[in-house]
Amino acid sequence: MQRLCLLLELRKIYDYRWVARFLVFMLSFNNIVYAQWPKSQIKTLQQGTTFDSIRTQHAKVGGLFLEVKSYFEEYSPVKPGSVTQLYFQGLNKEGELMVRYVFTHALLDFHMETRLTYPNKGKQELWLDQSRRVPLFVLLDLYYKENVLEVDLL
């Protein structure tokens, strides 16, 4: 009888621990579900046999804010033939945006990285014409405030 009472008492304590763990898990899960994810814009274009996917998002220092994937019919409809990426690196002393430009071309087995600067609070015109018959025109509005680079695809 004593063992049965002890077993029931331990079971009661175990149930309270389980409920407490479950509540802590649900509260932490709730914060994950409602967390602020970066605003992302996606645009697709087709020029002749080239299909482009353009994705922009707000970025903190070191983050990706523009990615252009180009799919060439002669290469693969599933794998991108070239990928252009722009990463936000911070502000320089003059208040300009420092950007790391990364270009990879699978057909040519070519990879290039360089650094660029853009003025803050302005529209940027990008003409991407690496190995393309017709250059791809991308218009961005870049604005740095409160430790976040805000990017709008126009």
Side-chain angles (χ1 to χ4, degrees):
M1 188 66 174
Q2 285 179 338
R3 286 187 178 192
L4 181 61
C5 289
L6 182 62
L7 182 64
L8 290 175
E9 188 65 30
L10 289 176
R11 179 76 178 160
K12 190 167 130 182
I13 293 170
Y14 175 76
D15 286 342
Y16 286 130
R17 286 183 185 169
W18 185 85
V19 168
R21 286 184 194 150
F22 181 75
L23 287 175
V24 168
F25 172 74
M26 288 307 291
L27 289 174
S28 66
F29 182 72
N30 192 22
N31 290 338
I32 293 170
V33 170
Y34 293 111
Q36 285 284 340
W37 294 101
K39 179 183 169 187
S40 181
Q41 295 176 322
I42 298 175
K43 185 177 184 180
T44 57
L45 301 169
Q46 184 171 4
Q47 296 177 344
T49 61
T50 304
F51 177 76
D52 297 297
S53 171
I54 305 168
R55 182 175 62 102
T56 63
Q57 66 184 14
H58 298 333
K60 293 186 177 183
V61 174
L64 175 71
F65 70 89
L66 173 71
E67 181 176 52
V68 179
K69 292 183 179 181
S70 300
Y71 300 87
F72 305 118
E73 185 178 280
E74 58 271 7
Y75 178 67
S76 170
V78 181
K79 287 177 60 179
S82 72
V83 178
T84 304
Q85 298 172 326
L86 295 174
Y87 295 89
F88 176 56
Q89 299 296 301
L91 296 175
N92 63 11
K93 293 177 184 175
E94 291 82 31
E96 296 175 323
L97 306 172
M98 294 187 307
V99 174
R100 182 172 64 125
Y101 174 86
V102 179
F103 176 73
T104 304
H105 198 291
L107 283 171
L108 303 174
D109 193 27
F110 177 77
H111 179 83
M112 177 190 73
E113 292 187 28
T114 190
R115 303 233 184 246
L116 304 170
T117 58
Y118 294 117
N120 192 7
K121 300 178 187 175
K123 292 182 178 25
Q124 297 302 316
E125 296 178 356
L126 303 175
W127 290 91
L128 306 174
D129 62 351
Q130 298 91 348
S131 72
R132 301 174 64 96
R133 292 184 187 111
V134 178
L136 176 65
F137 176 70
V138 179
L139 183 62
L140 298 174
D141 188 20
L142 301 176
Y143 179 66
Y144 179 77
K145 71 175 186 180
E146 299 177 8
N147 297 327
V148 175
L149 177 65
E150 294 184 2
V151 182
D152 289 320
L153 185 60
L154 304 175

